[in-house]
Amino acid sequence: MKASRHRPTQISIDLEALSYNLQQVTKPLPIRTQVYAVVKANAYGHGVIPIAKQLADQVAGFCVSNLDEALELRQAGIEHPILVLGVVPIDGISLAKQASISLTVASLEWLEQAVAAALDLADVAFHIKVDTGMGRIGVRDSQTVNQLVDLLDQQEAKFEGIFTHFATADQADQTYFDQQLALFKDILVDLPEMPRLIHASNSATSVWHADTVFNMVRLGNVLYGLNPSGRELELPYPLKPVLSLTSELVHIKQLPKGANIGYGATYTSPSEEYIGTLPIGYADGLVRAMQGFSVLVDGQACPIVGRVSMDQITIRLPKAYPLGTPVTLIGQDQGMERTVQDWADYLGTINYEVVCLLSDRIPRYHE
Ligand SMILES: *Cc1c(COP(=O)(O)O)cnc(C)c1O
């Protein structure tokens, strides 16, 4: 989808805040930690190419979730190591090899299929994924891990890394985290050889379990200035919000008492009032459940009234404002603030989902 640039709804990305956040998070980590920035899903909705370019001098590599995301980075001229965290289809392996992209091997069956297909795996870099309790992808015991290592050696592939992923690193209770960690360590002890990269730390693990960093971290959420735990755990250092979302009033009217607004005519003005219309809706990721949330106009909270439409919302204004008056949906306005976390709280979801849902229709401006 082309971004709608002739519409006043826009996302601004603060690249300095991004770099600041990366510094904040990596400062307390062991000095030789290899920092990989996780830029999957269009850098969590922040616009992957400018984000990757901004971070290029600060990171050792990038992680993405699929092969197309990796190729997009290569096509943009990013020469760093790139690791695909998800399972790539067998017929994508040759493409990955050509583009020097590291792949995750998450099951014996997958690698056996690649071998059976007579693919040339020589020099292709692989990271073995160990499922220590997340339950999505990965092998679950030492024996299988070691079979993978053998098979990679036989194929003259590169056993570049081994990793796992924690399910509860963002929670106060450490019991399950400790179980997963112990399992991972057992598997490392049994390895016939150590790969160059050993990693288990996403954002939450890097922030709240800095002592369990092996020699590489995979940082996503925190780079974007978000707290991976939502509000459960406090960050040990401040981070800066990276994304803001603004629009403008494209229509303002005064309604008499008793007028209806929106699909279903579900809102009726309780008295004479001013209503403003904004060009943003559920097709932009401002989902229908945002009805009732308030946005900022002239430093004041203005509630979304009536249903959220595909392309428009209506808000109640305290007075008449001129056309083109700025509106802040995420960001600061005269000491007031609306954060991604506020959206997440209102929707009963996590901040990750809010930023990922902001659609490509909204142009991103990186400054
Ligand atoms: C998405 C992802 C990450 C990054 O997680 P954050 O919480 O955003 O830091 C790290 N590792 C894996 C395997 C992931 O899928």
Side-chain angles (χ1 to χ4, degrees):
M1 193 197 313
K2 266 213 150 74
S4 300
R5 293 191 184 273
H6 300 94
R7 179 181 76 154
T9 299
Q10 63 172 65
I11 286 171
S12 303
I13 300 294
D14 183 344
L15 292 173
E16 271 173 36
L18 179 79
S19 286
Y20 170 85
N21 294 339
L22 185 125
Q23 277 174 17
Q24 290 287 90
V25 181
T26 53
K27 233 187 296 171
L29 301 180
I31 192 101
R32 270 181 291 277
T33 306
Q34 300 276 300
V35 178
Y36 276 52
V38 181
V39 294
K40 60 193 180 191
N42 198 25
Y44 296 43
H46 290 63
V48 65
I49 300 306
I51 294 283
K53 289 194 166 156
Q54 173 70 19
L55 294 176
D57 292 341
Q58 291 176 282
V59 299
F62 294 98
C63 294
V64 293
S65 77
N66 64 49
L67 187 55
D68 298 281
E69 292 178 343
L71 294 170
E72 183 180 3
L73 289 175
R74 281 284 178 265
Q75 275 149 21
I78 301 284
E79 293 176 351
H80 288 57
I82 300 174
L83 170 62
V84 177
L85 297 167
V87 178
V88 166
I90 304 293
D91 58 14
I93 295 176
S94 308
L95 264 178
K97 177 173 170 141
Q98 278 166 33
S100 297
I101 290 161
S102 301
L103 296 178
T104 290
V105 50
S107 68
L108 189 56
E109 190 181 2
W110 182 86
L111 192 58
E112 285 173 346
Q113 276 187 18
V115 172
L119 294 174
D120 177 13
L121 303 182
D123 300 324
V124 182
F126 289 95
H127 290 227
I128 295 177
K129 177 70 182 284
V130 183
D131 176 15
T132 54
M134 182 67 179
R136 298 188 305 198
I137 60 170
V139 296
R140 296 170 66 96
D141 59 83
S142 268
Q143 196 196 339
T144 320
V145 170
N146 294 352
Q147 278 176 288
L148 284 173
V149 175
D150 282 349
L151 199 48
L152 290 173
D153 281 348
Q154 282 167 31
Q155 296 293 313
E156 291 173 9
K158 228 184 288 167
F159 173 33
E160 185 178 57
I162 187 163
F163 71 114
T164 194
H165 193 55
F166 292 110
T168 60
D170 59 346
Q171 293 173 16
D173 185 340
Q174 296 215 11
T175 318
Y176 195 68
F177 179 91
D178 290 337
Q179 281 174 28
Q180 283 196 264
L181 183 61
L183 261 173
F184 189 53
K185 285 183 172 166
D186 286 346
I187 281 177
L188 294 180
V189 167
D190 285 344
L191 279 176
E193 58 187 277
M194 280 295 163
R196 187 168 63 80
L197 297 168
I198 301 174
H199 46 115
S201 304
N202 59 355
S203 292
T205 312
S206 306
V207 172
W208 293 296
H209 302 271
D211 49 327
T212 60
V213 165
F214 291 88
N215 63 14
M216 167 180 155
V217 293
R218 310 182 301 267
L219 300 178
N221 193 267
V222 277
L223 299 182
Y224 310 107
L226 304 171
N227 179 332
S229 79
R231 299 194 196 267
E232 178 162 345
L233 300 175
E234 231 174 279
L235 292 169
Y237 33 70
L239 297 177
K240 293 181 181 170
V242 171
L243 180 148
S244 50
L245 170 62
T246 56
S247 189
E248 288 177 12
L249 296 177
V250 293
H251 189 84
I252 301 103
K253 61 185 165 291
Q254 186 178 28
L255 288 183
K257 179 178 173 185
N260 294 328
I261 293 176
Y263 283 114
T266 58
Y267 178 82
T268 306
S269 53
S271 58
E272 200 177 81
E273 63 189 12
Y274 290 94
I275 296 291
T277 303
L278 302 178
I280 182 171
Y282 61 76
D284 297 290
L286 194 155
V287 296
R288 292 173 85 242
M290 287 294 283
Q291 180 177 335
F293 186 79
S294 65
V295 300
L296 304 175
V297 178
D298 193 19
Q300 300 158 95
C302 300
I304 299 171
V305 295
R307 290 207 181 129
V308 171
S309 300
M310 187 184 294
D311 315 305
Q312 301 181 55
I313 57 172
T314 34
I315 63 175
R316 186 169 60 233
L317 299 167
K319 61 174 188 163
Y321 281 97
L323 276 184
T325 298
V327 181
T328 302
L329 297 104
I330 297 172
Q332 292 186 357
D333 179 19
Q334 301 173 40
M336 294 276 282
E337 189 173 23
R338 289 292 175 270
T339 64
V340 172
Q341 189 61 44
D342 292 336
W343 281 47
D345 293 344
Y346 192 77
L347 293 170
T349 184
I350 55 174
N351 53 45
Y352 293 74
E353 191 177 33
V354 170
V355 284
C356 285
L357 284 182
L358 295 172
S359 81
D360 292 349
R361 189 163 75 171
I362 310 175
R364 272 75 168 159
Y365 296 98
H366 298 82
E367 47 216 26

